[in-house]
Amino acid sequence: MAIDMEQFHQVFFEESFEGLDVMETGLLNLDNGDADNEEINTIFRAAHSIKGGSGTFGFQSISDFTHIMETLLDEVRDGIRDLTHEGINVLLKSVDCLRMMMTAASEGGDVDDSEVKTNFDALQNILGSESSSATEEISEPAADSTAQASAETVWKISFAPHKNFMQFGNDPARIIRELATLGKLSGHVDTDNVPEFTDLNPEDMFLSWDLELKGEVTKEQIDDVFSWVEDESDISITAMSSDVSSQTVKKQTDATVVKSEAVKAPVKAKPAAAVKASDKKEKSTPASSSIRVGIDKIDDLINMVGELVITQSMLSMLGEDFNMTRLEKLQEGLIQLDRHTRELQESVMQIRMVPISFTFSRFPRMVRDLSEKLDKKIELVMHGENTELDKTVIEKIGDPLVHLVRNSVDHGIEMPEDRLAAGKPETGTIQLNAFHRGGNIVIEITDDGKGIDKDVILAKGIEKGLVEAGAKLSDQQIYDLLFNPGFSTAAEITDVSGRGVGMDVVKKNIMSLGGAIETHSVKGQGSIFSIRLPLTLAILDGQSVSVGSDNYIIPLVSIVESVQPKKESLNMVAGKGETYKLRDEYLPIIRIRDLFNVPDAKADDLEEGLLVVVEADGKRFGVFVDDLLGQQQVVIKSLESNYKRINGVSGATILGDGSVALILDIPSLIRMSD
Amino acid sequence: MALILTVDDSASMRQMVAFTLKGAGYDVVEAEDGQKALDASKTKKFDLVITDVNMPVMDGITFIRHLRTEVNYKFTPILMLTTESSSDKKAEGKSAGATGWIVKPFNPDQLLAVVKKVIG
Amino acid sequence: MMMTAEQENEAIDQEQITEADQGEEYLTFSLANEEYGVDILRVQELRGWEPVTRVPNSPDYVKGVLNLRGAIVPVIDLRVRFNLPVEDYSSLTVVIVLAIKDKKDGNERIISVVVDEISDVVKAKMSEIQATPKFGSALDIEYISGLADADGKMLMLLDIDTMLSVSDMQQF
């Protein structure tokens, strides 16, 4: 029967990539000294599974490569070998290599043969440095068997199963039947040992056989038949004919006995020579983006939709024959509808929520490799990996986070000797924290390194013409210079921090997600980069405001507070326009009426309207509106799909009454009024 | 038709084995570790058990040892999936009560041939 | 086969009718006493006039946006667009929702236009669409794909893809 193995490939690849992640995490823990025996077993099992699966599904070179990793890991778990830091490095690099091979196999790409060879040799090196029983197992590929002149042989076979034979689940009859397939079988059963009936235990075996097998049969074939039962029986096999050669030959026996061909992972051979056609998958179309969703979440959804349908049909019935006596029922029904719709909405959004561990998981390895490269000692601590955020957000936050962490490693944490000289522990710490706060997700990257030198930054900002000399800047404004596109020069974008990704791109990415980034630092002690992101991109918590007959929505995430303005606090500043003094701060005022040319704005004097204090880019402004309406959650609709992007507007939404309201883009508003 | 229990922590292997056996007319139950396999064996009577060795929670050999203490499974054929080089695993398995082994990697035909030989 | 003269005339008439049935269909509407037509296949739906949401910093002919079953669709006043004198909307005022293919960036968009009144759906034979002569019309010549005769009245067939190209509006 020909079975199409390809149907299992996808599952195999998925579990293999997971297995590689498991191996990587385990190896990193081993390196830190955090691993116990169980962890070592877990790493071994992952390699073992990959090896077995790849062999079964036809990815021979992957199997061969993994085999040598598995051999090494087997020795470690058996206690024969200690794994040094160097050994772990080799294994980690091998995991990378395997990932590359696995990706090539799953996507139909090319394998970097030289990388495979380098890693294979490195593994081999470690294995070869100590002789161990494991290496003996890896034998040269069997030389093609010289066909043994299968002459007609008569074999005398005596088969005496031990008393406990049956308890291994073996059946003597099966063995005899199998022998009979090899040639002409004759013989007799010996019942001498069978006890009296009353003493007979039916679970024991008392029979034995004297058999004669005639045919073109080799001893090996007969051995194979008995291979499972050697230990629980007495067997003797003698040839009665002189034609028999006693030389055992490694020969593929017939298919009834499962014994795979001699190991194809020879120590000396190069398994990566050429990627065999069987290892390559047809280049498939890129996998469509997908999410894994727990069955329980789906079940919840189905239940909720069910409830919704019930409520809907109840309302429908009410509506058919409506009169005012049924008003209360209608209202109840509508409340129920509201509740069910809300629950359904939350549930569906939940599905797209993914724990941030997916993004965080790459960092232990990254920090380790990077700190090794720079000869620094750095420990990475992560909290809140279970904090969930929307899948679309998670995909876009990865790169900015990578850059910030790299930045901390590269520019934050000092060299070990400098740290000691400063009275700090030699090993620096970088912390990744994620948590929910007020409808947002906050991600903090903290390091106990040398902090940011405000004077240096300011001086550089002046030098680059980003700031006027003598300008008074707040701390946050100085730190924000770091995110200015003109700040860093090409020469400073080191290989470590990545070319082409500057802090300005980091900030841009975060802002395009509707988020913000804040910096805190103490010179000599360390820095915290704090990223605030909305939980989801499709839905927004907003404050509805009115200017004239226009309604606008201001995202709550940008709002600091709302004030009833007082005339005395209004100032006119030459060249800057109106400002409002709120406690100690002077807030520039943005009049929506003017910015958007609203023809029927009500309030002219400041005291007639309201000031909504908003914040973006570290700057605060007061947005002057006629009235505050309610707060609500709105679904963000695109203005650009059918129309175009409008400055100051980030999108639109449809209100409960079916009308359209525009969502204000606060950072853009601020830029517009600057 | 005969009922077979296949135990392996690798989903792709389990699926392949199950698919192959079902295609040949056997009924199959899957389990992903020794403990789940033991639980399954208490609710159903299997005619044959095929188990991998390296598994989390409970490995194959421990599973076999436990299974053999069950009255219903004293004589049931139990096959281990082993790799060619692990002769000590084979010995360990046998001493735990395994009937025999199938060496990995194997193809579906080889699997079916062994199963047919053992339970027909 | 020999035909009588009568039979021949009939045959010719038949032919003419068949030809007249061919061609494309246009939804016609009036704007300041002039008749215009748009390809019926582009018309998504017709709506009565309802207040729309103003969009700031847009060209004056963009009256705002409306909610079309969850999608945000711009509303363009053609009188303003064609520099015609603006009149109040009446109960006859119709909003035509059109599917256009933006000539500049190739994107498909849903756009709606406000017109005075809807007339009929007419068929216009391809052969009747002549190259437009230059004449003083409210429209830019490039917006007109041709002219047709609709029962004695001149119909200007609009090339809405060009006319309503949003990228044009970017200039504002």
Side-chain angles (χ1 to χ4, degrees), chain C residues 12-23 123-128:
Chain C
I12 294 170
D13 281 340
Q14 286 280 25
E15 224 178 279
Q16 278 177 334
I17 294 168
T18 331
E19 260 191 53
D21 284 336
Q22 285 169 2
K123 288 196 229 293
K125 272 177 66 176
M126 289 311 258
S127 57
E128 285 175 11

Side-chain angles (χ1 to χ4, degrees), chain A residues 451-479:
Chain A
I452 301 175
D453 191 333
K454 288 195 289 257
D455 298 326
V456 169
I457 304 288
L458 187 56
K460 195 162 168 203
I462 295 174
E463 182 197 315
K464 295 211 178 279
L466 301 169
V467 183
E468 291 156 22
K472 259 216 156 312
L473 262 60
S474 69
D475 283 358
Q476 202 58 233
Q477 286 170 318
I478 297 179
Y479 295 140

Side-chain angles (χ1 to χ4, degrees), chain A residues 525-540:
Chain A
Q525 281 186 25
S527 314
I528 306 179
F529 290 95
S530 185
I531 301 173
R532 194 182 51 185
L533 293 170
L535 278 177
T536 167
L537 297 182
I539 299 210
L540 180 72

Side-chain angles (χ1 to χ4, degrees), chain A residues 38-50:
Chain A
E38 187 46 44
E39 183 108 50
I40 300 175
N41 260 316
T42 309
I43 304 173
F44 170 83
R45 272 200 303 270
H48 179 80
S49 278
I50 294 176

